[in-house]
Amino acid sequence: MPSDRDTLLSFGFDPARIDWALKATAGRGLQPAMDHILENEGKPIPETVTSTGEDAKGNNDEDEDMKLALSMSQEGQEAKSIKCTECGKVFRNTAMAEFHAEKSGHDQFEESTDEIKPLTEEEKKQKLAELRQKMAEKRAKKNEAEAEERKANEALRRKAGKDAGQIRQELQLKEANKEAEQRKKEKLDDAKARAAVKAQIEADKKARAEKAAKEKALREGQALPVASTSTASSQPAAAPGAKKEYPETRLQLRLSTGGAPLTVTLRSEQTLQDVAEYVASQSLSFDVETVNFATTFPRKVYTRADWSKTLKELGLTPSAVLMVS
């Protein structure tokens, strides 16, 4: 591959100015050297560069001229150039011929008496323009390749960001479902706890009432009252024409979600609200605030106004079947 000096020589620049440019640009490359030559075209060449450059040039040119002269001395002619016998191109020196051989693959050369004329100013400008165009095209291709690479990297980055966003959304959804299930479980536990507390309060009230009744009967010398847990056969017969009282109500609750019905025995003084809390405590499918009750015979749908009424007031004693939805 030819050096920057050989390339600039092929453009027809003055060798001394080429040496000045290469020295001034510290060998940074072809483009800085060429810019230096153009910028300092009308300026005199420093003596230090002239002496060094001319000595080097003189030695190089002298060696090449000697080679040509020796090779052609037998014919009595002076060699002025090197010619490629495969394509007919003529080169100023061996360096340019070697560059041509490396680039084209040609290996047949001969010495020639053809003299290569120096480039005119117009030819110099044309070659410079061609060189600059090639360099501009090379930079454009490089910029295009870098733009494509940036585009590909951006696409990969966006895809990675999208995948991460999707995973994050899925995790958030799972976390939300988990929290919802936990809230529902806590609500169910609260309903069960409230029902248990209510049942205990009612049991305590009943026990206190029975105890008070016994103490009163003992003080007054009366017969002890029959406990509420006794059977119907041990209770005194109701007076003729009096409506029979049922202290307890047995309910069969048929769920709209299917499965075996729930069976529970409650005090007749308990309300439909208590029944709703019991259903919510036994099944996750129902909520105290939204559950509905109805009977099939006689057909009746209970409203929220009925929830504060007792089972006795609603006519559900001593037993009833409720449809739960």
Side-chain angles (χ1 to χ4, degrees):
M1 185 174 182
S3 63
D4 293 341
R5 188 176 190 280
D6 292 333
T7 303
L8 293 170
L9 284 172
S10 68
F11 293 155
F13 291 121
D14 182 10
R17 290 192 175 275
I18 294 174
D19 293 333
W20 180 24
L22 292 173
K23 185 175 181 180
T25 57
R28 291 197 303 271
L30 182 62
Q31 183 64 45
M34 186 166 56
D35 292 339
H36 183 276
I37 292 172
L38 296 175
E39 291 171 0
N40 299 277
E41 187 174 4
K43 298 179 182 179
I45 302 173
E47 294 182 0
T48 55
V49 175
T50 304
S51 59
T52 304
E54 286 181 350
D55 291 342
K57 174 182 173 296
N59 292 334
N60 292 336
D61 290 346
E62 183 179 354
D63 292 341
E64 293 177 0
D65 292 342
M66 285 177 64
K67 292 178 183 179
L68 293 174
L70 288 172
S71 62
M72 301 192 72
S73 60
Q74 297 177 354
E75 301 179 4
Q77 294 178 335
E78 183 181 359
K80 299 183 179 298
S81 59
I82 300 175
K83 182 177 181 181
C84 175
T85 58
E86 296 186 42
C87 65
K89 289 186 177 180
V90 180
F91 304 98
R92 186 185 305 276
N93 50 45
T94 55
M96 298 307 300
E98 289 174 359
F99 176 69
H100 173 73
E102 182 179 351
K103 190 173 182 181
S104 63
H106 298 169
D107 58 1
Q108 301 298 322
F109 294 88
E110 66 179 7
E111 295 163 332
S112 173
T113 57
D114 296 338
E115 183 178 1
I116 300 176
K117 295 180 181 180
L119 297 177
T120 64
E121 291 299 323
E122 188 65 29
E123 289 173 338
K124 289 181 182 180
K125 291 180 180 179
Q126 183 179 356
K127 280 193 173 288
L128 286 174
E130 291 175 357
L131 180 60
R132 285 174 174 169
Q133 182 179 358
K134 288 181 180 180
M135 296 182 70
E137 290 175 355
K138 186 176 180 181
R139 282 195 298 268
K141 288 182 180 180
K142 183 180 179 182
N143 294 336
E144 185 179 353
E146 290 176 350
E148 289 295 330
E149 184 178 359
R150 287 195 298 271
K151 187 176 180 181
N153 292 337
E154 180 66 16
L156 290 175
R157 187 190 66 77
R158 289 183 179 179
K159 186 178 185 301
K162 184 178 180 181
D163 293 342
Q166 185 176 357
I167 293 173
R168 187 163 52 251
Q169 288 179 356
E170 291 175 356
L171 290 176
Q172 290 175 351
L173 180 60
K174 288 181 180 179
E175 189 65 24
N177 291 338
K178 185 178 179 181
E179 292 178 358
E181 289 295 330
Q182 183 64 25
R183 287 196 298 270
K184 192 171 185 179
K185 184 178 180 300
E186 292 174 355
K187 194 173 183 180
L188 179 59
D189 292 342
D190 290 343
K192 288 182 178 180
R194 286 198 303 271
V197 170
K198 262 192 172 182
Q200 186 62 44
I201 292 172
E202 293 298 330
D204 292 344
K205 285 172 62 179
K206 183 178 180 181
R208 287 196 299 271
E210 289 178 352
K211 183 179 179 181
K214 287 180 181 181
E215 292 175 351
K216 182 179 179 182
L218 289 173
R219 285 196 304 270
E220 295 177 356
Q222 298 177 357
L224 294 175
V226 180
S228 60
T229 56
S230 62
T231 60
S233 60
S234 65
Q235 294 180 359
K243 186 175 181 181
K244 190 174 181 179
E245 297 291 335
Y246 298 96
E248 295 181 342
T249 300
R250 187 173 182 276
L251 296 177
Q252 186 182 85
L253 306 169
R254 297 181 180 178
L255 308 180
S256 62
T257 56
L262 300 175
T263 302
V264 63
T265 300
L266 302 173
R267 290 178 297 98
S268 300
E269 298 302 322
Q270 289 185 260
T271 64
L272 199 59
Q273 172 77 24
D274 296 327
V275 179
E277 291 179 357
Y278 171 76
V279 171
S281 69
Q282 299 299 314
S283 175
L284 291 174
S285 302
F286 298 96
D287 187 87
V288 176
E289 303 299 330
T290 59
V291 66
N292 296 304
F293 298 104
T295 55
T296 55
F297 185 78
R299 177 63 180 171
K300 181 177 180 180
V301 177
Y302 295 95
T303 64
R304 288 293 181 273
D306 298 322
W307 282 40
S308 60
K309 296 180 181 179
T310 64
L311 302 178
K312 178 181 177 181
E313 291 173 340
L314 295 174
L316 299 176
T317 57
S319 64
V321 177
L322 290 179
M323 311 303 293
V324 183
S325 61

